[in-house]
Amino acid sequence: AQSVTQLGSHVSVSEGALVLLRCNYSSSVPPYLFWYVQYPNQGLQLLLKYTSAATLVKGINGFEAEFKKSETSFHLTKPSAHMSDAAEYFCAVSLEYGNKLVFGAGTILRVKS
Amino acid sequence: DAGVTQSPTHLIKTRGQQVTLRCSPKSGHDTVSWYQQALGQGPQFIFQYYEEEERQRGNFPDRFSGHQFPNYSSELNVNALLLGDSALYLCASSRLEMNTEAFFGQGTRLTVV
């Protein structure tokens, strides 16, 4: 069975600083990996996805993530944090595209001015 | 394009009652998945419907049931509500054969008292 571990339930960065949100996965087969963002009282919005095409994936709002098979990781980064990035971020894994998503517990990102 | 729409946005029910939540998928999508997101946790997969059949199911009791209609819209029914069923219920749609990623609705906040 697949699983996702997000290290750090809360991350705080200053505006303009690097954002790094960590995600490690467990999967018996090469997975599909996703990062979603959730603003308060809202649904989930897809930031980016890995589907085995390129290991470095670029998403919306300046975010990117790198798939590292040897480390079973898919960390999310953004070079310069903006106040509008404050939200909760979820990493998710799926064995087949279109199949159920298994989510991590989420990381709340706080951006300080 | 209205995206994925869910109704109602909020509701309050009493223990033991039954509830029905509704979801209209994004235009062109034929697959609907339901997730439960308890406070402070990541979404948990309940089940997925495709061609009016339950295609996959997560680890939820039989009190949770669903339906998909010919127009691809879907309902989630929960019987004999427990306090622990209080959560944000998210609907996600996709187009299975086209391998599209899941698009999420805003969710229905269910409170059981």
Side-chain angles (χ1 to χ4, degrees):
Chain A
Q2 62 271 50
S3 65
V4 174
T5 301
Q6 291 185 240
L7 298 174
S9 58
H10 293 77
V11 169
S12 183
V13 301
S14 298
E15 194 172 19
L18 171 72
V19 175
L20 171 60
L21 304 182
R22 300 178 186 273
C23 172
N24 288 88
Y25 69 90
S26 170
S27 176
S28 57
V29 297
Y32 296 101
L33 293 160
F34 306 82
W35 275 99
Y36 283 87
V37 62
Q38 186 176 39
Y39 297 97
N41 299 312
Q42 305 255 327
L44 302 175
Q45 180 184 9
L46 181 67
L47 280 177
L48 48 79
K49 59 187 178 186
Y50 167 74
T51 58
S52 76
T55 57
L56 183 61
V57 180
K58 295 188 182 299
I60 62 172
N61 301 337
F63 284 94
E64 63 181 38
E66 186 173 7
F67 172 69
K68 291 187 177 181
K69 184 178 179 181
S70 61
E71 299 176 9
T72 61
S73 68
F74 190 57
H75 301 331
L76 182 70
T77 60
K78 182 174 180 178
S80 177
H82 191 272
M83 296 297 289
S84 62
D85 295 327
E88 188 161 18
Y89 293 78
F90 292 95
C91 180
V93 64
S94 179
L95 289 184
E96 291 183 31
Y97 212 74
N99 269 17
K100 71 174 186 179
L101 293 166
V102 175
F103 286 88
T107 297
I108 295 174
L109 175 65
R110 177 188 171 210
V111 181
K112 300 175 291 185
S113 59
Chain B
D1 183 0
V4 180
T5 58
Q6 293 186 242
S7 63
T9 54
H10 297 80
L11 74 165
I12 300 173
K13 289 287 188 178
T14 303
R15 269 184 305 174
Q17 285 189 316
Q18 178 264 344
V19 68
T20 298
L21 310 182
R22 296 176 176 82
C23 173
S24 293
K26 182 178 171 65
S27 178
H29 286 186
D30 56 13
T31 304
V32 173
S33 301
W34 287 92
Y35 292 82
Q36 180 195 66
Q37 186 179 15
L39 200 60
Q41 297 183 24
Q44 300 287 318
F45 176 76
I46 303 174
F47 41 54
Q48 183 182 77
Y49 277 83
Y50 173 66
E51 293 188 338
E52 303 179 51
E53 296 285 336
E54 185 181 285
R55 181 172 176 264
Q56 282 187 297
R57 189 179 181 91
N59 293 325
F60 279 80
D62 292 344
R63 297 187 297 110
F64 289 78
S65 63
H67 188 77
Q68 185 178 35
F69 298 93
N71 66 354
Y72 307 118
S73 67
S74 177
E75 289 182 349
L76 164 66
N77 300 290
V78 186
N79 294 322
L81 284 167
L82 303 174
L83 295 180
D85 295 330
S86 296
L88 180 68
Y89 288 85
L90 295 164
C91 170
S93 74
S94 57
R95 189 169 175 183
L96 194 63
E97 294 182 3
M98 295 295 289
N99 282 342
T100 62
E101 65 266 20
F103 284 77
F104 283 81
Q106 300 287 78
T108 294
R109 174 72 63 185
L110 171 65
T111 302
V112 182
V113 296

